[in-house]
Amino acid sequence: MFSFSEQWALAGKALVEAQLISAQAYAKAAYASGASVVDLQLDAARTALAAATVAGNELLSAKDPQALLQLSRAQSQLAIERIDAYGRQAKDVAQETQEKFASVTKGEFAASRQKFDGLLQVVKQTPVPLIIPFNNFLKTTFGGADEGYDKNKNTRPARRV
């Protein structure tokens, strides 16, 4: 059987490892989403450059003002279609990103809860004489932080009406 300090250290280590794994999963999801956005931007830039080249050549080859107006109208319509396609692709990337983060959050929350439950079991099995100093330490540490927060929260300037 492990001593209290060993159990506490193992449970704390498991909780920290779970948090690091969660952070890594979020970083991977953010990186994949960022890569999708960069790909979308590069594709849009290539398409816009190619379209501008084609439009310029067509407009330069116009023989009269009437043909120039028709080409201009056609190029404007194509530009609107490209913008619409870009918007749909950006929406798809945003939805994929949201789905990735939702799935990561769901999975990591369950894993972290399991590790936290393990830590809670260690605390529940701890003899009362060992808990009292630890409890006092937590009260002073977090109590001071709470007091500081409350103090700063109440020092906001009053709103002018």
Side-chain angles (χ1 to χ4, degrees):
M1 174 150 178
F2 293 112
S3 69
F4 167 72
S5 60
E6 290 172 346
Q7 287 179 335
W8 183 256
L10 290 175
K13 182 181 176 186
L15 188 60
V16 169
E17 286 175 354
Q19 289 173 344
L20 289 175
I21 289 170
S22 294
Q24 186 179 20
Y26 280 115
K28 284 180 181 179
Y31 181 79
S33 299
S36 297
V37 169
V38 168
D39 288 342
L40 177 64
Q41 294 293 349
L42 288 174
D43 186 44
R46 285 186 199 114
T47 303
L49 187 58
T53 303
V54 169
N57 289 338
E58 286 180 359
L59 291 173
L60 287 174
S61 68
K63 303 285 187 216
D64 60 2
Q66 186 69 21
L68 182 65
L69 285 175
Q70 288 176 346
L71 286 172
S72 222
R73 188 177 308 131
Q75 290 303 322
S76 296
Q77 184 62 33
L78 290 174
I80 290 171
E81 290 172 7
R82 283 192 306 273
I83 290 170
D84 189 38
Y86 176 81
R88 284 191 305 273
Q89 290 172 339
K91 182 184 123 197
D92 291 343
V93 167
Q95 285 177 339
E96 288 173 12
T97 300
Q98 191 272 336
E99 289 169 2
K100 285 178 190 175
F101 278 112
S103 67
V104 167
T105 299
K106 188 175 183 179
E108 295 306 318
F109 181 75
S112 293
R113 182 172 175 107
Q114 183 182 9
K115 298 294 182 182
F116 184 76
D117 287 344
L119 181 63
L120 192 59
Q121 291 303 318
V122 169
V123 170
K124 284 181 180 179
Q125 295 172 358
T126 305
V128 174
L130 293 175
I131 288 292
I132 292 172
F134 182 70
N135 192 20
N136 289 337
F137 168 75
L138 290 178
K139 282 182 182 177
T140 56
T141 302
F142 294 115
D146 286 341
E147 288 173 12
Y149 174 75
D150 290 339
K151 189 178 198 181
N152 287 335
K153 184 173 73 172
N154 294 331
T155 59
R156 290 186 193 160
R159 284 187 165 189
R160 293 184 184 180
V161 178

